[in-house]
Amino acid sequence: MVATGVGSSLLADLARRVHGPGEVRTKVEWVVDAVRGATGARWAAFAAAADDPLSSGDGELLDAPDLMAMATEPAALHMRGRDGFLSVLAAPVRGGDGHAYGALAAAGPADERLDQAGLEVVAGLAAHLGVALDAQAVARVQHEMDAAQRDAVHQLQEAVRPPVPAVPDTELGVHYLAADPATPTGGDLYDWQLLPDGDVHVAIVDVMGKGVAATKDALTVTHALRMLVFEGTPLGDVVARADRVIGEHHPELVATVIVGRYQPATGVLRLAGGGHPPPLLVTDKGEARLVEAPGIPLGFPGAGSDGVVEICLDRSDTVVLYTDGLIEATKDIERGLEGLRQAGREVAVYPAGSMAQALVERALAGAQRRDDTVALVLRRRIPPAPGRELPLLRPFRHRFTATPAAVPIARHLLMDWLTHQPMDSGAVDDIMIMAGELTALAVRSEGAAVVLGAAVDGDALVLTVEDEGGGLPRTLADYSIEAPDPLADGGRGPFLVRTFADEVAVDATDGHTQVCCIKRAVMAAGG
């Protein structure tokens, strides 16, 4: 049988398909088809080595171990196949280091002898396939190395993230989300520290670069900022001095930063920027605006802050500091900033930690995460000012049989008790939503007893719902704060409870379940 040879069109296809992007199996299948077409053989196959589980074509006609043993060099063979003797042209498929990936073969009945020209075709295609498989092996090793580095970065970031400080009249929360697995990660970090005078130091850092080195650089920056603040450096000079200190040892480091100093007693927050995106301020009245804190990033000529901006947080006002991953998912920063403002208004009622998580997840929903993202939430939480002179009532407790008809009565009695308490009227709706959802869950086991309770604890309101029939979900405290699918059969009740409560605890023993929800800073001072 005369081979058709390796023409220029086949070589062009070879370069494009075998050495270009694509799945390994697809490339092997194309080479096998090319062998069959170029040699005129009835069958073609790639027999994979034992440690390389790749095969394609009519490999079942040949005994792979025998073919591998005999095809140590390109050769014309006469060997037994599954259905009798075959005329075989075979060549080893080797990598650049001599590693044997397998053997490439063309075969036909014994009486159809394949010629030397066909053997050259098989040998040439086998050589190209070996190069392609080498490239795939390198890519696989690189992928594994990238994954290992991402894991190392995440472990390092977890180790250096500071714990949440306990600050009077203040609620703090943070959420970090790494970039997509296929994207290098690292370089985003935050810091918060309670200072000796009772103020709070906060900072967000975004270092140019990726990987462990970028995380180490970010840690260097946060430590430098913290050191300067503890030394008493004026806030407006912190960024410029940090640039001088860091530049002596890390002249190539480039980072955007924003540094804040917060006074819990007065609600005054002072901010100094270094090329970082503007913080978001969400007020108790539902307004959301960006707070510009201009400056030049570390590592740039003239690095430093362009003055200090000062804002005074009223009761329940919230400030969000973040890295640019939160606003660049769509590649349109203006659109990202507008989306952040809108999301900030929508989730302002969430506890600080839940709000940080919701902002990140909403901003990145459906988008490729090209960068790490950090959102840090600082909220002023003080009791409402004294209003009506109302005395505190004794704790509320109402026991009823678990039937849907009894729920409206229980809610009405609780509402009456709440309206006669010296508390924030805006919090009443939140508490009633939680009570309604929990009692609705509790009465799913009809006939059991349900107890709805409420009590004042300092400036907090504690809501409890108990049931004896197992209707309340025992894992409610672990539910995500993300809204469930609107078409889902359930999940909205736990979602709403987790949304409006500052803290949720579940105690389930011997068929008796109690859910305790705490809403802080809602009782009027001096009430």
Side-chain angles (χ1 to χ4, degrees), residues 485-527:
D485 187 326
L487 301 179
D489 293 334
R492 283 177 288 277
F495 159 71
L496 291 171
V497 172
R498 287 290 295 115
T499 296
F500 291 105
D502 290 316
E503 182 178 339
V504 178
V506 180
D507 181 17
T509 55
D510 300 328
H512 176 91
T513 306
Q514 181 187 70
V515 178
C516 177
C517 303
I518 300 175
K519 189 77 171 176
R520 299 189 181 94
V522 296
M523 303 305 300

Side-chain angles (χ1 to χ4, degrees), residues 169 171 262 281-287 313-319 348-350 355 377-384 424 427 430 502 519-522:
D169 301 325
E171 188 180 351
Y262 176 63
L281 171 64
V282 183
T283 71
D284 187 41
K285 299 178 178 61
E287 301 171 349
L313 303 185
D314 203 347
R315 178 177 180 271
S316 297
D317 285 355
T318 302
V319 170
V349 297
Y350 288 19
M355 180 179 182
V377 173
L378 183 154
R379 176 179 294 139
R380 193 178 190 201
R381 289 298 300 271
I382 59 175
D424 178 8
D430 297 349
D502 290 316
K519 189 77 171 176
R520 299 189 181 94
V522 296

Side-chain angles (χ1 to χ4, degrees), residues 383-384 392 422-423 455-462 519-527:
L392 288 175
M423 65 181 299
V456 175
D457 183 8
D459 64 6
L461 193 288
V462 181
K519 189 77 171 176
R520 299 189 181 94
V522 296
M523 303 305 300

Side-chain angles (χ1 to χ4, degrees), residues 150-161:
R150 283 194 299 271
D151 184 61
V153 169
H154 294 162
Q155 292 185 31
L156 178 59
Q157 289 174 326
E158 288 294 334
V160 301
R161 286 179 191 142

Side-chain angles (χ1 to χ4, degrees), residues 26 77 81 137 241 321 326 411 422 428 458:
T26 301
L77 307 172
R241 285 199 57 189
L321 309 180
L326 193 65
R411 294 181 71 254
V428 172

Side-chain angles (χ1 to χ4, degrees), residues 178-199:
D180 284 324
T183 305
T185 186
D188 292 15
L189 206 58
Y190 65 91
D191 191 24
W192 44 24
Q193 298 290 325
L194 188 60
L195 302 176
D197 62 1
D199 287 0

Side-chain angles (χ1 to χ4, degrees), residues 22-81:
E23 295 291 331
V24 177
R25 185 169 298 279
T26 301
K27 294 181 178 183
V28 171
E29 290 173 351
W30 186 88
V31 169
V32 169
D33 288 341
V35 165
R36 183 186 295 110
T39 63
R42 291 198 186 186
W43 308 291
F46 171 72
D51 57 344
D52 291 294
L54 297 172
S55 64
S56 183
D58 297 309
E60 69 275 4
L61 294 170
L62 304 170
D63 188 89
D66 287 349
L67 182 62
M68 286 291 299
M70 298 177 70
T72 57
E73 297 293 338
L77 307 172
H78 188 68
M79 62 184 294
R80 181 180 294 277

Side-chain angles (χ1 to χ4, degrees), residues 56-231:
S56 183
D58 297 309
E60 69 275 4
L61 294 170
L62 304 170
D63 188 89
D66 287 349
L67 182 62
M68 286 291 299
M70 298 177 70
T72 57
E73 297 293 338
L77 307 172
H78 188 68
M79 62 184 294
R80 181 180 294 277
R82 299 295 172 85
D83 298 322
F85 281 93
L86 299 173
S87 174
V88 180
L89 301 177
V93 177
R94 292 196 182 100
D97 60 355
H99 171 73
Y101 288 108
L104 187 63
D111 58 349
E112 295 182 8
R113 308 295 292 183
L114 300 177
D115 60 13
Q116 184 65 28
L119 182 59
E120 293 175 1
V121 170
V122 174
L125 290 172
H128 281 285
L129 183 57
V131 173
L133 293 178
D134 266 351
Q136 292 289 339
V138 170
R140 182 171 63 250
V141 171
Q142 185 62 51
H143 176 76
E144 293 171 354
M145 291 176 61
D146 290 344
Q149 184 182 63
R150 283 194 299 271
D151 184 61
V153 169
H154 294 162
Q155 292 185 31
L156 178 59
Q157 289 174 326
E158 288 294 334
V160 301
R161 286 179 191 142
V164 182
V167 182
D169 301 325
T170 305
E171 188 180 351
L172 296 168
V174 67
H175 187 69
Y176 164 84
L177 186 63
D180 284 324
T183 305
T185 186
D188 292 15
L189 206 58
Y190 65 91
D191 191 24
W192 44 24
Q193 298 290 325
L194 188 60
L195 302 176
D197 62 1
D199 287 0
V200 180
H201 160 71
V202 295
I204 288 279
V205 174
D206 189 353
V207 168
M208 182 180 296
K210 302 295 179 184
V212 174
T215 299
K216 292 171 64 177
D217 286 346
L219 185 60
T220 297
V221 176
T222 58
H223 280 182
L225 296 173
R226 186 192 304 177
M227 176 192 70
L228 292 171
V229 168
F230 271 90
E231 286 182 352

